[in-house]
Amino acid sequence: MMNILVIGSGGREHALAWQCAKNDNVQRIYVAPGNAGSALEPKCQNVVLKSTSSDASEHSAVIEFCQNNAIDMVIVGPEAPLVTGIIDACRDAGIKAWGPTTYCAQLEGSKTFAKEFMAQNNIPTAAYQGFTDATAAKAYIDEQGAPIVIKADGLAAGKGVIVAETIEQAYDAIDDMLADNKFGDAGSRVVIEQFLQGEEASFICMIDGDNILPMATSQDHKRAYEGDTGPNTGGMGAYSPAPVVTQDVHDKVMAQVIQPVVDAMKAAGHPYTGFLYAGLMIDKSGDPYVIEFNCRFGDPETQPILMRLQSSMVDLITQGLAGQLPDAAEWDTRPALGIVIASKGYPETSSKGDVIAGLPELGVDNDDSVKVFHAGTAFSQDGTNIGSQDASYDNNAKEVITNGGRVLCVTALADSILDAQQAALAVTGAISFDGAHYRRDIGHHAITREQS
Ligand code: AMP
Ligand code: GLY
Protein backbone atom coordinates (compact mmCIF):
# COMPACT_ATOMS: atom_id res chain seq x y z
CA MET A 1 0.00 0.00 0.00
CA MET A 2 1.26 3.48 -0.88
CA ASN A 3 1.50 6.71 1.05
CA ILE A 4 1.48 9.92 -0.95
CA LEU A 5 2.37 13.50 -0.10
CA VAL A 6 0.68 16.23 -2.13
CA ILE A 7 2.21 19.69 -1.67
CA GLY A 8 0.00 22.74 -2.01
CA SER A 9 -3.26 24.22 -0.78
CA GLY A 10 -5.34 25.02 -3.85
CA GLY A 11 -8.12 23.52 -5.90
CA ARG A 12 -5.52 21.76 -8.02
CA GLU A 13 -4.14 19.96 -4.96
CA HIS A 14 -7.60 19.01 -3.70
CA ALA A 15 -8.35 17.54 -7.14
CA LEU A 16 -5.01 15.70 -7.29
CA ALA A 17 -5.56 14.21 -3.82
CA TRP A 18 -9.15 13.25 -4.70
CA GLN A 19 -8.04 11.50 -7.90
CA CYS A 20 -5.17 9.69 -6.16
CA ALA A 21 -7.52 8.50 -3.41
CA LYS A 22 -9.49 6.48 -5.98
CA ASN A 23 -6.54 4.10 -6.40
CA ASP A 24 -7.00 0.94 -4.30
CA ASN A 25 -3.26 0.67 -3.70
CA VAL A 26 -3.21 4.00 -1.92
CA GLN A 27 -3.43 3.91 1.85
CA ARG A 28 -2.94 7.51 2.89
CA ILE A 29 -2.60 10.86 1.19
CA TYR A 30 -1.12 13.72 3.15
CA VAL A 31 -1.77 17.19 1.81
CA ALA A 32 0.57 19.96 2.96
CA PRO A 33 -0.96 22.29 3.95
CA GLY A 34 -4.19 21.48 2.07
CA ASN A 35 -7.57 23.09 2.65
CA ALA A 36 -10.93 22.17 4.18
CA GLY A 37 -11.81 20.15 1.09
CA SER A 38 -8.69 17.99 1.13
CA ALA A 39 -9.19 17.44 4.87
CA LEU A 40 -12.59 15.93 4.17
CA GLU A 41 -11.61 13.51 1.39
CA PRO A 42 -11.46 9.81 2.19
CA LYS A 43 -7.87 8.61 2.90
CA CYS A 44 -6.68 12.25 2.99
CA GLN A 45 -5.19 14.16 5.86
CA ASN A 46 -3.81 17.70 5.97
CA VAL A 47 -0.43 18.25 7.55
CA VAL A 48 1.62 21.30 8.41
CA LEU A 49 5.27 20.59 7.64
CA LYS A 50 7.87 21.93 10.00
CA SER A 51 11.50 21.02 10.15
CA THR A 52 12.90 19.81 13.49
CA SER A 53 16.49 20.60 12.63
CA SER A 54 17.89 24.02 13.52
CA ASP A 55 19.93 24.51 10.34
CA ALA A 56 16.99 23.54 8.18
CA SER A 57 17.43 24.06 4.46
CA GLU A 58 14.42 25.20 2.50
CA HIS A 59 13.00 21.77 1.70
CA SER A 60 14.17 19.85 4.74
CA ALA A 61 10.70 19.76 6.34
CA VAL A 62 9.38 17.89 3.29
CA ILE A 63 12.27 15.44 3.34
CA GLU A 64 11.96 14.77 7.06
CA PHE A 65 8.22 14.20 6.72
CA CYS A 66 8.72 11.75 3.84
CA GLN A 67 11.35 9.82 5.77
CA ASN A 68 9.24 9.65 8.94
CA ASN A 69 5.99 8.70 7.21
CA ALA A 70 7.11 6.15 4.61
CA ILE A 71 6.08 8.37 1.70
CA ASP A 72 6.26 6.52 -1.63
CA MET A 73 5.47 9.46 -3.91
CA VAL A 74 5.55 13.25 -3.63
CA ILE A 75 3.36 15.27 -6.00
CA VAL A 76 4.15 18.97 -6.08
CA GLY A 77 1.26 21.24 -7.05
CA PRO A 78 2.49 24.85 -7.16
CA GLU A 79 5.42 26.39 -9.01
CA ALA A 80 7.23 28.09 -6.13
CA PRO A 81 8.77 24.97 -4.51
CA LEU A 82 9.60 23.59 -7.96
CA VAL A 83 11.46 26.74 -8.90
CA THR A 84 13.42 26.63 -5.64
CA GLY A 85 14.44 23.01 -6.16
CA ILE A 86 12.17 20.71 -4.19
CA ILE A 87 12.50 17.93 -6.77
CA ASP A 88 16.30 18.12 -6.73
CA ALA A 89 16.28 18.03 -2.91
CA CYS A 90 13.94 15.01 -2.81
CA ARG A 91 15.99 13.13 -5.39
CA ASP A 92 19.20 13.79 -3.47
CA ALA A 93 17.50 12.26 -0.43
CA GLY A 94 16.31 9.22 -2.41
CA ILE A 95 12.63 10.26 -2.32
CA LYS A 96 10.43 9.75 -5.37
CA ALA A 97 9.00 13.11 -6.34
CA TRP A 98 7.08 14.08 -9.47
CA GLY A 99 7.97 17.40 -11.04
CA PRO A 100 10.71 19.24 -12.94
CA THR A 101 14.12 20.05 -11.48
CA THR A 102 14.99 23.63 -10.68
CA TYR A 103 16.78 23.92 -14.04
CA CYS A 104 13.71 22.88 -16.02
CA ALA A 105 11.36 24.90 -13.80
CA GLN A 106 13.05 28.06 -15.10
CA LEU A 107 10.66 27.72 -18.03
CA GLU A 108 8.07 29.13 -15.62
CA GLY A 109 10.30 30.85 -13.06
CA SER A 110 11.87 33.26 -15.52
CA LYS A 111 10.04 34.73 -18.50
CA THR A 112 13.44 35.77 -19.90
CA PHE A 113 14.76 32.17 -19.67
CA ALA A 114 11.57 30.91 -21.33
CA LYS A 115 11.72 33.44 -24.16
CA GLU A 116 15.40 32.75 -24.86
CA PHE A 117 14.76 29.00 -24.72
CA MET A 118 11.94 29.34 -27.24
CA ALA A 119 14.04 31.51 -29.55
CA GLN A 120 16.91 29.00 -29.46
CA ASN A 121 14.62 26.06 -30.18
CA ASN A 122 12.36 27.66 -32.79
CA ILE A 123 9.27 27.31 -30.61
CA PRO A 124 6.62 29.72 -31.91
CA THR A 125 5.97 32.61 -29.53
CA ALA A 126 5.38 36.37 -29.57
CA ALA A 127 8.30 38.63 -30.52
CA TYR A 128 9.73 40.25 -27.39
CA GLN A 129 12.45 42.24 -25.73
CA GLY A 130 13.60 42.32 -22.08
CA PHE A 131 14.22 45.55 -20.08
CA THR A 132 15.37 46.69 -16.67
CA ASP A 133 15.39 50.37 -17.55
CA ALA A 134 12.10 52.27 -17.73
CA THR A 135 13.23 54.85 -20.31
CA ALA A 136 14.47 52.19 -22.71
CA ALA A 137 11.29 50.18 -22.15
CA LYS A 138 9.12 53.17 -23.01
CA ALA A 139 11.14 53.92 -26.13
CA TYR A 140 10.52 50.34 -27.26
CA ILE A 141 6.79 50.72 -26.55
CA ASP A 142 6.73 53.91 -28.68
CA GLU A 143 8.41 52.02 -31.49
CA GLN A 144 6.05 49.01 -31.33
CA GLY A 145 2.74 50.77 -30.58
CA ALA A 146 -0.31 49.36 -28.80
CA PRO A 147 -1.85 46.91 -28.05
CA ILE A 148 1.24 45.48 -26.39
CA VAL A 149 1.87 43.13 -23.48
CA ILE A 150 4.06 43.88 -20.44
CA LYS A 151 5.16 41.02 -18.16
CA ALA A 152 7.04 40.93 -14.87
CA ASP A 153 10.00 38.58 -15.33
CA GLY A 154 9.53 36.49 -12.18
CA LEU A 155 6.68 34.64 -10.51
CA ALA A 156 3.63 36.81 -9.86
CA ALA A 157 0.79 34.29 -9.41
CA GLY A 158 -0.65 34.96 -12.85
CA LYS A 159 -1.07 38.64 -12.08
CA GLY A 160 2.19 40.08 -13.42
CA VAL A 161 0.88 40.46 -16.96
CA ILE A 162 -0.66 43.64 -18.34
CA VAL A 163 -2.29 43.55 -21.75
CA ALA A 164 -2.08 47.27 -22.55
CA GLU A 165 -4.66 48.56 -25.03
CA THR A 166 -2.99 51.97 -25.19
CA ILE A 167 0.54 53.38 -24.98
CA GLU A 168 -0.50 55.13 -21.76
CA GLN A 169 -1.50 51.87 -20.08
CA ALA A 170 1.78 50.35 -21.22
CA TYR A 171 3.72 53.27 -19.68
CA ASP A 172 1.77 52.85 -16.43
CA ALA A 173 2.66 49.16 -16.31
CA ILE A 174 6.33 50.01 -16.80
CA ASP A 175 6.18 52.60 -14.03
CA ASP A 176 4.46 50.11 -11.68
CA MET A 177 6.98 47.38 -12.33
CA LEU A 178 10.28 49.16 -12.93
CA ALA A 179 9.88 52.42 -11.07
CA ASP A 180 7.40 51.73 -8.24
CA ASN A 181 8.40 48.09 -7.78
CA LYS A 182 4.77 46.98 -7.39
CA PHE A 183 5.66 43.36 -8.13
CA GLY A 184 8.80 43.31 -5.98
CA ASP A 185 11.79 41.45 -7.36
CA ALA A 186 9.56 39.59 -9.82
CA GLY A 187 9.06 42.88 -11.65
CA SER A 188 12.54 44.35 -11.51
CA ARG A 189 12.96 43.07 -15.04
CA VAL A 190 10.17 43.11 -17.61
CA VAL A 191 9.49 41.39 -20.88
CA ILE A 192 7.61 43.41 -23.49
CA GLU A 193 5.78 41.28 -26.00
CA GLN A 194 3.89 41.50 -29.24
CA PHE A 195 0.12 41.19 -28.71
CA LEU A 196 -1.13 37.86 -30.07
CA GLN A 197 -4.59 37.40 -31.51
CA GLY A 198 -6.62 34.22 -31.45
CA GLU A 199 -8.16 31.83 -28.95
CA GLU A 200 -6.31 30.55 -25.91
CA ALA A 201 -5.94 26.94 -24.83
CA SER A 202 -4.06 25.12 -22.10
CA PHE A 203 -2.01 22.15 -23.27
CA ILE A 204 -0.73 20.11 -20.35
CA CYS A 205 1.46 17.01 -20.61
CA MET A 206 3.21 14.56 -18.38
CA ILE A 207 6.85 14.04 -19.39
CA ASP A 208 9.30 11.46 -17.99
CA GLY A 209 12.46 12.83 -19.59
CA ASP A 210 11.69 11.10 -22.92
CA ASN A 211 8.07 10.10 -23.27
CA ILE A 212 5.18 12.52 -23.54
CA LEU A 213 1.68 11.79 -22.28
CA PRO A 214 -0.70 14.61 -23.24
CA MET A 215 -3.51 15.30 -20.81
CA ALA A 216 -6.93 16.20 -22.18
CA THR A 217 -6.94 19.76 -23.53
CA SER A 218 -8.61 22.60 -21.68
CA GLN A 219 -9.36 26.29 -21.72
CA ASP A 220 -9.01 28.69 -18.80
CA HIS A 221 -10.71 32.08 -18.28
CA LYS A 222 -8.08 34.48 -17.00
CA ARG A 223 -10.09 37.68 -16.75
CA ALA A 224 -12.03 38.41 -13.58
CA TYR A 225 -15.37 39.36 -15.15
CA GLU A 226 -17.87 38.08 -17.68
CA GLY A 227 -17.19 38.66 -21.36
CA ASP A 228 -13.44 38.29 -20.63
CA THR A 229 -13.19 41.75 -19.11
CA GLY A 230 -11.47 43.05 -16.01
CA PRO A 231 -8.05 42.29 -14.57
CA ASN A 232 -6.11 39.06 -15.08
CA THR A 233 -6.52 36.46 -12.34
CA GLY A 234 -5.08 33.04 -11.62
CA GLY A 235 -8.09 31.67 -13.55
CA MET A 236 -11.85 32.01 -12.98
CA GLY A 237 -12.99 28.75 -14.54
CA ALA A 238 -11.99 26.13 -17.07
CA TYR A 239 -13.37 23.33 -19.16
CA SER A 240 -12.06 20.28 -20.99
CA PRO A 241 -11.70 19.45 -23.81
CA ALA A 242 -11.03 22.71 -25.69
CA PRO A 243 -12.61 22.40 -29.15
CA VAL A 244 -10.14 24.97 -30.55
CA VAL A 245 -7.50 22.23 -30.23
CA THR A 246 -8.50 20.12 -33.21
CA GLN A 247 -6.45 17.04 -34.11
CA ASP A 248 -4.46 19.20 -36.53
CA VAL A 249 -3.70 21.80 -33.85
CA HIS A 250 -2.86 19.00 -31.40
CA ASP A 251 -0.34 17.54 -33.85
CA LYS A 252 1.25 20.96 -34.39
CA VAL A 253 1.55 21.60 -30.65
CA MET A 254 3.20 18.23 -30.08
CA ALA A 255 5.65 18.73 -32.98
CA GLN A 256 6.38 22.46 -32.63
CA VAL A 257 6.16 23.00 -28.89
CA ILE A 258 6.26 19.96 -26.62
CA GLN A 259 8.73 17.71 -28.47
CA PRO A 260 11.27 20.55 -28.87
CA VAL A 261 11.14 21.18 -25.09
CA VAL A 262 11.78 17.50 -24.37
CA ASP A 263 14.61 17.32 -26.91
CA ALA A 264 16.29 20.57 -25.85
CA MET A 265 16.15 19.81 -22.13
CA LYS A 266 17.58 16.36 -22.75
CA ALA A 267 20.35 17.82 -24.91
CA ALA A 268 21.14 20.35 -22.17
CA GLY A 269 21.64 17.48 -19.73
CA HIS A 270 18.48 18.31 -17.80
CA PRO A 271 15.74 15.94 -18.94
CA TYR A 272 12.30 17.42 -18.35
CA THR A 273 10.23 15.44 -15.86
CA GLY A 274 6.81 16.23 -14.41
CA PHE A 275 3.87 18.19 -15.71
CA LEU A 276 4.49 20.76 -18.42
CA TYR A 277 1.82 23.31 -19.20
CA ALA A 278 1.95 25.29 -22.43
CA GLY A 279 -0.41 28.27 -22.42
CA LEU A 280 -1.17 28.74 -26.11
CA MET A 281 -2.71 31.27 -28.44
CA ILE A 282 -4.17 29.51 -31.48
CA ASP A 283 -4.46 31.87 -34.44
CA LYS A 284 -7.04 31.82 -37.23
CA SER A 285 -5.03 29.38 -39.32
CA GLY A 286 -4.72 26.98 -36.40
CA ASP A 287 -1.09 27.80 -35.68
CA PRO A 288 -0.10 27.68 -32.00
CA TYR A 289 2.03 30.32 -30.24
CA VAL A 290 3.29 29.86 -26.70
CA ILE A 291 2.09 32.58 -24.34
CA GLU A 292 3.75 31.00 -21.34
CA PHE A 293 5.14 27.77 -19.98
CA ASN A 294 4.22 26.53 -16.54
CA CYS A 295 6.14 23.73 -14.89
CA ARG A 296 3.09 22.26 -13.16
CA PHE A 297 -0.54 21.39 -13.67
CA GLY A 298 -2.91 24.34 -14.18
CA ASP A 299 -5.35 25.67 -11.64
CA PRO A 300 -8.31 25.56 -12.33
CA GLU A 301 -7.64 23.35 -15.40
CA THR A 302 -6.73 20.41 -13.16
CA GLN A 303 -10.25 20.24 -11.75
CA PRO A 304 -12.17 19.58 -15.01
CA ILE A 305 -9.30 17.55 -16.49
CA LEU A 306 -9.13 15.20 -13.52
CA MET A 307 -12.93 14.87 -13.45
CA ARG A 308 -12.49 13.26 -16.88
CA LEU A 309 -9.39 11.16 -16.17
CA GLN A 310 -10.31 7.49 -15.92
CA SER A 311 -6.75 6.21 -15.63
CA SER A 312 -5.23 6.48 -12.17
CA MET A 313 -2.95 9.51 -11.70
CA VAL A 314 -1.00 7.41 -9.17
CA ASP A 315 -0.35 4.75 -11.82
CA LEU A 316 0.62 7.36 -14.41
CA ILE A 317 3.06 9.08 -12.05
CA THR A 318 4.49 5.69 -11.02
CA GLN A 319 5.12 4.98 -14.71
CA GLY A 320 6.49 8.49 -15.18
CA LEU A 321 8.96 8.09 -12.31
CA ALA A 322 10.15 4.86 -13.94
CA GLY A 323 10.59 6.53 -17.35
CA GLN A 324 7.76 4.43 -18.75
CA LEU A 325 4.91 6.83 -19.43
CA PRO A 326 2.34 5.47 -21.86
CA ASP A 327 1.49 7.73 -24.79
CA ALA A 328 -2.20 7.98 -23.94
CA ALA A 329 -4.44 7.89 -20.87
CA GLU A 330 -8.12 6.99 -20.61
CA TRP A 331 -10.68 9.77 -20.54
CA ASP A 332 -14.38 10.12 -19.99
CA THR A 333 -15.62 11.30 -23.39
CA ARG A 334 -17.99 13.77 -21.71
CA PRO A 335 -16.74 17.33 -21.21
CA ALA A 336 -16.21 18.81 -17.75
CA LEU A 337 -16.45 22.43 -16.69
CA GLY A 338 -15.41 24.16 -13.47
CA ILE A 339 -16.54 27.54 -12.13
CA VAL A 340 -14.35 29.34 -9.60
CA ILE A 341 -16.07 31.19 -6.78
CA ALA A 342 -13.75 33.97 -5.60
CA SER A 343 -13.77 36.02 -2.43
CA LYS A 344 -14.45 39.71 -1.98
CA GLY A 345 -11.82 41.89 -3.62
CA TYR A 346 -10.18 39.19 -5.73
CA PRO A 347 -7.88 39.58 -7.66
CA GLU A 348 -6.66 42.91 -6.22
CA THR A 349 -7.10 41.67 -2.65
CA SER A 350 -8.86 38.73 -1.06
CA SER A 351 -10.92 38.15 2.00
CA LYS A 352 -10.63 35.56 4.76
CA GLY A 353 -12.94 34.25 7.45
CA ASP A 354 -16.32 34.56 5.70
CA VAL A 355 -18.57 31.59 6.50
CA ILE A 356 -19.51 29.54 3.44
CA ALA A 357 -23.13 28.38 3.28
CA GLY A 358 -24.77 25.91 0.92
CA LEU A 359 -21.87 23.53 0.33
CA PRO A 360 -23.08 20.07 -0.68
CA GLU A 361 -22.90 17.81 2.38
CA LEU A 362 -19.26 17.80 3.36
CA GLY A 363 -17.21 14.77 2.46
CA VAL A 364 -20.04 13.18 0.55
CA ASP A 365 -20.36 13.06 -3.21
CA ASN A 366 -24.09 12.95 -3.69
CA ASP A 367 -23.68 12.75 -7.39
CA ASP A 368 -20.55 11.66 -9.24
CA SER A 369 -21.13 14.22 -11.96
CA VAL A 370 -20.62 17.32 -9.79
CA LYS A 371 -17.73 17.92 -7.44
CA VAL A 372 -16.98 21.00 -5.36
CA PHE A 373 -13.21 21.32 -5.16
CA HIS A 374 -11.98 23.60 -2.42
CA ALA A 375 -9.15 26.12 -2.81
CA GLY A 376 -8.96 29.01 -0.31
CA THR A 377 -10.99 27.37 2.47
CA ALA A 378 -10.34 26.48 6.10
CA PHE A 379 -12.34 25.40 9.15
CA SER A 380 -13.59 28.13 11.43
CA GLN A 381 -12.79 26.51 14.77
CA ASP A 382 -9.06 26.96 14.59
CA GLY A 383 -8.30 28.13 11.10
CA THR A 384 -5.40 25.70 10.96
CA ASN A 385 -6.93 23.00 8.80
CA ILE A 386 -6.35 20.26 11.34
CA GLY A 387 -8.46 18.13 9.07
CA SER A 388 -9.12 14.48 9.60
CA GLN A 389 -5.87 13.68 11.42
CA ASP A 390 -7.79 12.80 14.54
CA ALA A 391 -10.58 10.35 13.79
CA SER A 392 -12.66 11.62 16.68
CA TYR A 393 -12.51 15.15 15.30
CA ASP A 394 -15.74 15.83 13.47
CA ASN A 395 -14.95 18.04 10.52
CA ASN A 396 -18.55 18.06 9.44
CA ALA A 397 -19.50 19.78 12.66
CA LYS A 398 -17.33 22.79 11.85
CA GLU A 399 -18.03 25.69 9.61
CA VAL A 400 -16.03 26.10 6.44
CA ILE A 401 -14.74 29.63 5.94
CA THR A 402 -12.97 31.48 3.15
CA ASN A 403 -9.19 31.56 3.34
CA GLY A 404 -7.96 33.14 0.11
CA GLY A 405 -8.83 34.68 -3.26
CA ARG A 406 -10.06 31.68 -5.18
CA VAL A 407 -12.29 29.82 -2.75
CA LEU A 408 -14.03 26.94 -4.56
CA CYS A 409 -14.24 25.40 -8.00
CA VAL A 410 -17.58 23.78 -8.73
CA THR A 411 -16.93 21.21 -11.45
CA ALA A 412 -19.46 19.23 -13.46
CA LEU A 413 -19.33 16.46 -16.06
CA ALA A 414 -22.16 16.35 -18.62
CA ASP A 415 -23.01 15.41 -22.19
CA SER A 416 -22.22 18.88 -23.56
CA ILE A 417 -20.28 21.91 -22.36
CA LEU A 418 -23.54 23.83 -22.05
CA ASP A 419 -25.03 21.09 -19.85
CA ALA A 420 -21.87 21.00 -17.75
CA GLN A 421 -22.02 24.79 -17.39
CA GLN A 422 -25.66 24.65 -16.31
CA ALA A 423 -25.02 21.82 -13.85
CA ALA A 424 -22.07 23.68 -12.33
CA LEU A 425 -24.06 26.93 -12.17
CA ALA A 426 -26.93 25.21 -10.33
CA VAL A 427 -24.59 24.10 -7.53
CA THR A 428 -22.64 27.38 -7.61
CA GLY A 429 -25.85 29.37 -7.18
CA ALA A 430 -26.69 27.47 -4.00
CA ILE A 431 -23.35 28.34 -2.36
CA SER A 432 -23.00 31.71 -0.70
CA PHE A 433 -20.67 33.78 1.42
CA ASP A 434 -20.09 37.47 1.91
CA GLY A 435 -18.53 38.97 -1.22
CA ALA A 436 -18.66 35.75 -3.29
CA HIS A 437 -18.34 36.35 -7.01
CA TYR A 438 -18.05 34.13 -10.06
CA ARG A 439 -18.51 34.20 -13.82
CA ARG A 440 -21.70 32.79 -15.34
CA ASP A 441 -20.16 32.57 -18.81
CA ILE A 442 -17.41 29.98 -18.30
CA GLY A 443 -17.20 27.94 -21.50
CA HIS A 444 -18.69 30.62 -23.73
CA HIS A 445 -16.27 30.03 -26.64
CA ALA A 446 -17.07 26.32 -26.74
CA ILE A 447 -20.79 26.84 -26.22
CA THR A 448 -20.89 29.23 -29.19
CA ARG A 449 -19.18 26.51 -31.23
CA GLU A 450 -21.58 23.84 -29.94
CA GLN A 451 -24.52 25.95 -30.97
CA SER A 452 -23.29 26.81 -34.46
P1 AMP B 1 0.55 34.75 -18.77
O1 AMP B 1 0.64 34.92 -17.29
O2 AMP B 1 1.82 34.95 -19.50
O3 AMP B 1 -0.18 33.49 -19.14
O4 AMP B 1 -0.46 35.88 -19.27
C1 AMP B 1 -1.75 36.01 -18.71
C2 AMP B 1 -2.74 36.27 -19.80
O5 AMP B 1 -2.44 37.47 -20.49
C3 AMP B 1 -2.78 35.19 -20.85
O6 AMP B 1 -3.57 34.11 -20.51
C4 AMP B 1 -3.36 35.97 -22.04
O7 AMP B 1 -4.75 36.10 -21.91
C5 AMP B 1 -2.75 37.33 -21.88
N1 AMP B 1 -1.53 37.43 -22.67
C6 AMP B 1 -0.26 37.17 -22.26
N2 AMP B 1 0.62 37.36 -23.25
C7 AMP B 1 -0.09 37.74 -24.34
C8 AMP B 1 0.27 38.10 -25.68
N3 AMP B 1 1.53 38.13 -26.10
N4 AMP B 1 -0.74 38.45 -26.51
C9 AMP B 1 -2.02 38.47 -26.08
N5 AMP B 1 -2.41 38.15 -24.85
C10 AMP B 1 -1.46 37.79 -23.96
N1 GLY C 1 -4.87 28.58 -14.86
C1 GLY C 1 -3.63 29.11 -15.20
C2 GLY C 1 -2.51 28.59 -14.47
O1 GLY C 1 -2.59 27.61 -13.75
O2 GLY C 1 -1.45 29.19 -14.57
Side-chain angles (χ1 to χ4, degrees):
M1 294 293 278
M2 295 178 73
N3 295 317
I4 296 175
L5 173 64
V6 174
I7 295 184
S9 64
R12 166 182 51 213
E13 289 75 21
H14 181 189
L16 283 164
W18 165 84
Q19 219 282 343
C20 290
K22 294 185 185 183
N23 187 306
D24 290 338
N25 294 322
V26 170
Q27 182 164 19
R28 203 113 198 76
I29 300 168
Y30 300 94
V31 188
N35 55 42
S38 59
L40 292 163
E41 282 309 327
K43 301 186 190 177
C44 296
Q45 170 176 336
N46 288 350
V47 287
V48 176
L49 300 185
K50 284 201 193 81
S51 177
T52 50
S53 105
S54 53
D55 59 342
S57 64
E58 189 168 7
H59 301 299
S60 57
V62 171
I63 288 164
E64 276 175 39
F65 183 86
C66 292
Q67 287 167 342
N68 295 336
N69 293 277
I71 297 298
D72 301 290
M73 175 187 289
V74 181
I75 306 173
V76 184
E79 61 277 17
L82 294 166
V83 169
T84 58
I86 194 166
I87 299 297
D88 314 63
C90 285
R91 284 186 190 166
D92 288 348
I95 295 161
K96 289 190 169 150
W98 180 246
T101 58
T102 183
Y103 182 89
C104 294
Q106 291 179 91
L107 279 180
E108 174 164 8
S110 165
K111 300 260 186 219
T112 307
F113 177 91
K115 292 301 273 188
E116 283 170 4
F117 181 92
M118 286 188 264
Q120 280 158 12
N121 296 290
N122 295 316
I123 296 173
T125 187
Y128 79 104
Q129 211 155 309
F131 294 93
T132 52
D133 175 68
T135 313
K138 287 180 183 174
Y140 182 73
I141 289 167
D142 286 339
E143 198 183 292
Q144 299 295 313
I148 194 158
V149 181
I150 321 288
K151 301 186 174 185
D153 181 66
L155 294 179
K159 294 167 217 156
V161 173
I162 307 292
V163 178
E165 315 277 346
T166 63
I167 301 267
E168 210 157 60
Q169 283 171 5
Y171 277 12
D172 286 348
I174 294 296
D175 287 336
D176 280 349
M177 290 183 198
L178 291 181
D180 301 343
N181 220 17
K182 195 166 158 191
F183 292 92
D185 279 350
S188 60
R189 185 179 165 86
V190 300
V191 164
I192 303 184
E193 238 181 51
Q194 166 202 6
F195 174 77
L196 295 171
Q197 260 166 327
E199 187 174 337
E200 284 182 59
S202 304
F203 197 101
I204 301 166
C205 301
M206 295 175 71
I207 298 173
D208 65 11
D210 263 311
N211 303 299
I212 303 168
L213 168 58
M215 299 281 97
T217 60
S218 57
Q219 191 174 66
D220 187 15
H221 298 64
K222 291 271 169 73
R223 301 297 192 100
Y225 311 128
E226 283 166 21
D228 296 321
T229 57
N232 267 317
T233 68
M236 293 298 288
Y239 62 89
S240 168
V244 65
V245 185
T246 58
Q247 187 59 48
D248 176 54
V249 173
H250 199 281
D251 293 345
K252 284 184 189 163
V253 176
M254 289 294 282
Q256 298 173 15
V257 177
I258 309 295
Q259 191 67 51
V261 173
V262 174
D263 293 345
M265 287 298 191
K266 207 159 94 179
H270 296 281
Y272 195 100
T273 52
F275 297 111
L276 174 68
Y277 167 139
L280 303 172
M281 188 70 85
I282 316 289
D283 76 6
K284 276 210 181 75
S285 7
D287 287 320
Y289 293 83
V290 175
I291 294 174
E292 62 167 348
F293 281 121
N294 294 321
C295 60
R296 50 169 176 81
F297 224 124
D299 191 338
E301 290 94 327
T302 304
Q303 293 85 315
I305 290 176
L306 293 192
M307 278 289 275
R308 298 185 58 217
L309 181 65
Q310 290 175 330
S311 309
S312 164
M313 185 50 83
V314 175
D315 292 344
L316 296 178
I317 293 178
T318 302
Q319 291 171 297
L321 289 166
Q324 291 168 355
L325 270 180
D327 56 14
E330 281 171 41
W331 302 97
D332 194 315
T333 53
R334 291 173 297 169
L337 181 142
I339 299 173
V340 169
I341 311 181
S343 71
K344 187 164 50 192
Y346 183 77
E348 284 82 8
T349 61
S350 64
S351 159
K352 291 188 180 181
D354 296 307
V355 175
I356 304 173
L359 283 170
E361 192 185 341
L362 298 179
V364 179
D365 279 327
N366 303 320
D367 172 358
D368 278 350
S369 68
V370 180
K371 176 80 191 169
V372 180
F373 292 109
H374 289 224
T377 67
F379 293 113
S380 57
Q381 197 161 310
D382 42 45
T384 55
N385 281 338
I386 285 177
S388 47
Q389 262 157 313
D390 172 358
S392 66
Y393 200 76
D394 184 4
N395 285 312
N396 289 308
K398 293 185 293 176
E399 287 175 317
V400 176
I401 57 174
T402 62
N403 192 36
R406 292 188 291 169
V407 177
L408 300 163
C409 181
V410 180
T411 310
L413 258 178
D415 289 330
S416 69
I417 296 194
L418 178 61
D419 290 349
Q421 183 201 56
Q422 295 303 310
L425 279 173
V427 174
T428 303
I431 296 172
S432 61
F433 55 87
D434 190 28
H437 61 102
Y438 59 91
R439 285 179 56 170
R440 289 167 186 75
D441 67 344
I442 300 302
H444 65 93
H445 283 297
I447 291 168
T448 307
R449 276 170 208 259
E450 271 178 3
Q451 288 169 344
S452 71

